[in-house]
Amino acid sequence: MTRLTPRLALLMSLPPLLWAGNAVVGRLVVGLVPPLTLNALRWSLALLLLLPLGWRVLRRPALLRERAPQLLLLGTLGVGAYNALQYLALVSTTPINVTLIAASMPVWMLAIGAAVYGVRPAPRQLLGATLSLAGVLLVIARGELAALGRVQFVRGDLYILAAIVSWAFYSWMLARPPAALRGERQPRVRGHDGAERPWNWAEMLLVQVLFGLVAAGGSAGLEQLAGAPAIRWSGWVVAALAYVAIGPSLIAYRCWGRGVAVGGPALAAFFSNLTPVFAALLSAAVLGEPPRWYHGAAFALIVAGIAVSSRPR
């Protein structure tokens, strides 16, 4: 595992903070924008913002068609499925359930790595996962472990579980891309100087969004056909769309992709458990409630899990 540096820690900490804001905003717009439509609008706007940065990738449609199966899978997992399932879950489940299930991310990441990619977890990673999970459970229980026994699961919880598994596969695909997306077969574009170079982050993300919108747009269309209510447009809704398209999408995906490429998906999974801590703090700020002692304790446990899992062999 790559040594954890301050720069890598920042790369992997920023996405959970932005995704925590995404969860809070997603909850606030329930009833204003249908969930699957919200996901499609989010990524449509992100695609428009990416075009000035990654438009060159569209000049070689034959290359996109050749690698369509791999790109469609990558886009569906990271754009079409994960975010849509999260927004859909927020309609019928509670934030405490969402964070409880999201806390299983390191387990799924390590399990998929072992089962699909042959990467067996080290004892320090298992210990780190235990510490990190304990920190998340502390936030969920609000410092009272007996509260965990009162949690009831609903249909939306299954959506979150499916979203977490989808994200785990997506992260592993970023770290271990299919043969058609790496090595000598890695997609290339022609730069300003006429020389060919591999896709940069904006071009790669643009293609993911382009293919992911096939699933996102299709599911939004089915949602509308099923009788979803109309969007209740307002200045707040426009601001919410701008935030989810820029922060949790462009900035977070760029940092996450880079962090996973450098540190690996297993280490990244531990940082993802910072999301419920950040979400609790943001929710407290929105509601005007001060942070409690268990927020600090949970943060310490999660950071300890990250430190233990990232120690050199």
Side-chain angles (χ1 to χ4, degrees):
M1 181 178 292
T2 303
R3 179 176 177 271
L4 184 63
T5 64
R7 180 175 181 274
L8 181 57
L10 177 61
L11 275 175
M12 289 187 173
S13 298
L14 188 57
L17 175 60
L18 294 170
W19 289 331
N22 181 55
V24 173
V25 170
R27 184 65 176 174
L28 289 174
V29 298
V30 169
L32 302 177
V33 185
L36 300 182
T37 301
L38 173 62
N39 188 52
L41 289 174
R42 165 189 178 176
W43 289 108
S44 296
L45 180 55
L47 180 66
L48 293 177
L49 295 173
L50 279 169
L51 279 174
L53 302 174
W55 61 271
R56 288 183 178 82
V57 76
L58 303 178
R59 296 171 63 179
R60 301 185 65 179
L63 186 64
L64 298 181
R65 288 194 298 269
E66 178 186 346
R67 291 161 172 78
Q70 296 84 8
L71 294 170
L72 182 61
L73 177 59
L74 193 64
T76 298
L77 290 173
V79 173
Y82 173 72
N83 298 279
L85 288 167
Q86 183 184 41
Y87 290 141
L88 193 61
L90 286 168
V91 174
S92 58
T93 192
T94 62
I96 191 171
N97 286 34
V98 169
T99 51
L100 174 61
I101 297 170
S104 66
M105 172 67 81
V107 176
W108 287 105
M109 203 76 84
L110 294 175
I112 290 172
V116 180
Y117 294 90
V119 180
R120 298 183 62 181
R124 68 182 187 283
Q125 291 176 309
L126 297 177
L127 176 59
T130 302
L131 290 171
S132 184
L133 183 60
V136 174
L137 292 177
L138 188 61
V139 172
I140 293 170
R142 295 180 176 272
E144 300 178 10
L145 295 182
L148 295 176
R150 297 192 293 270
V151 175
Q152 296 181 342
F153 294 95
V154 296
R155 182 178 60 183
D157 303 323
L158 297 178
Y159 295 144
I160 285 295
L161 180 59
I164 293 301
V165 175
S166 172
W167 188 256
F169 273 109
Y170 170 79
S171 296
W172 272 105
M173 284 189 69
L174 290 179
R176 303 285 183 88
L181 299 178
R182 68 172 188 268
E184 294 182 357
R185 300 190 63 195
Q186 185 176 7
R188 297 176 178 272
V189 296
R190 194 174 300 278
H192 292 291
D193 56 1
E196 289 195 342
R197 57 166 176 77
W199 289 350
N200 61 29
W201 74 270
E203 292 156 350
M204 185 62 182
L205 183 55
L206 186 149
V207 170
Q208 291 180 51
V209 174
L210 188 64
F211 280 88
L213 276 172
V214 175
S219 59
L222 292 175
E223 180 181 57
Q224 294 299 316
L225 290 175
I231 300 174
R232 296 168 59 184
W233 289 104
S234 66
W236 154 243
V237 170
V238 173
L241 282 173
Y243 172 76
V244 298
I246 297 172
S249 301
L250 302 186
I251 299 175
Y253 272 63
R254 164 55 174 162
C255 293
W256 184 262
R258 182 58 182 163
V260 168
V262 175
L267 177 60
F270 293 100
F271 277 88
S272 70
N273 268 359
L274 289 172
T275 301
V277 177
F278 289 146
L281 294 175
L282 290 175
S283 297
V286 171
L287 297 175
E289 299 174 352
R292 304 296 180 90
W293 68 267
Y294 52 79
H295 290 136
F299 182 80
L301 284 169
I302 293 171
V303 170
I306 294 170
V308 169
S309 66
S310 61
R311 288 182 60 189
R313 292 180 184 274

